[in-house]
Amino acid sequence: MSTARRSLSVRRSTAGALAILAAVGLAGCSLVEVAPPAPLTGIAKCVLGNTWSLDTAALATAMQAELATRAITATAAIDGSQTLTWALDGKVALDTDYTLTLTSGAEDNLTVVTDKHSGKATGIAYINAEVAIPRDWDATGLNVDTTATVKGVAAETLPYTLVQTDIDDSVGVELTCDGGTMTTHQRGSDLTLTWAKK
């Protein structure tokens, strides 16, 4: 066989091999399928894909009880609402517009602490077993303004501190959920919040 014929034969063999490899490669690609997301189970199935409304009456009671553990006797009341929208992909939006009012002291020496929460916070919270792990939290749109009056006069300093009530990404959030009711408890906090499915 001449050199020219051998060269032509080699080229044809190489081209044929490449065509086979391309066909096999394409066939392999067609067999690769993206697995569907795993079905939700447990608490994640109960919590995700829903909007939850904060039980503000329960929060007022919890705040009152927490103050009592510090020997602070006050009557708590809340006006307004807070909702927590928790999407199936873990995205969270906290829409807040409530005012907590704490009243203590005798009528002629009344102390009133007003704790106003308004605005929106967003983030992601992935659920692992019974704990949500918040990430990428943005609370720049959430405002918390706490003021006090004594005998009707604005006080320069607060008579006592208040525990945090709004969820953030500082710690994990322990969860319970029974279908229509969810509770959230930030690790290390003295408060457990109760939510009802909307």
Side-chain angles (χ1 to χ4, degrees):
M1 181 183 290
S2 69
T3 303
R5 286 183 180 175
R6 279 201 307 271
S7 176
L8 180 59
S9 177
V10 170
R11 285 199 298 271
R12 285 178 177 167
S13 297
T14 302
L18 290 174
I20 291 170
L21 287 173
V24 170
L26 290 173
C29 287
S30 65
L31 295 176
V32 175
E33 296 181 5
V34 177
L40 295 174
T41 60
I43 286 181
K45 182 178 181 180
C46 183
V47 168
L48 298 181
N50 295 301
T51 295
W52 301 89
S53 179
L54 179 66
D55 185 338
T56 53
L59 174 56
T61 300
M63 288 291 288
Q64 193 168 303
E66 191 283 326
L67 289 172
T69 65
R70 294 186 273 152
I72 300 168
T73 302
T75 301
I78 293 184
D79 180 43
S81 64
Q82 183 177 66
T83 59
L84 173 62
T85 302
W86 211 328
L88 290 172
D89 61 2
K91 291 181 180 176
V92 173
L94 194 64
D95 290 287
T96 305
D97 185 15
Y98 72 81
T99 300
L100 169 67
T101 304
L102 298 154
T103 307
S104 60
E107 189 173 342
D108 60 348
N109 191 34
L110 209 59
T111 296
V112 179
V113 175
T114 304
D115 190 44
K116 182 172 178 56
H117 298 240
S118 61
K120 186 172 186 175
T122 59
I124 299 173
Y126 299 111
I127 297 176
N128 182 7
E130 297 176 351
V131 178
I133 311 298
R135 292 285 182 268
D136 302 325
W137 207 257
D138 181 3
T140 55
L142 178 64
N143 300 300
V144 179
D145 185 27
T146 308
T147 58
T149 61
V150 178
K151 296 182 180 181
V153 179
E156 293 185 5
T157 59
L158 296 176
Y160 46 80
T161 59
L162 298 178
V163 296
Q164 179 175 315
T165 58
D166 300 307
I167 295 172
D168 62 20
D169 61 354
S170 58
V171 293
V173 181
E174 298 166 342
L175 304 169
T176 69
C177 186
D178 67 4
T181 303
M182 172 181 71
T183 66
T184 59
H185 175 258
Q186 291 205 256
R187 284 176 166 168
S189 172
D190 293 315
L191 290 182
T192 296
L193 304 181
T194 302
W195 308 77
K197 185 188 292 186
K198 291 191 75 175

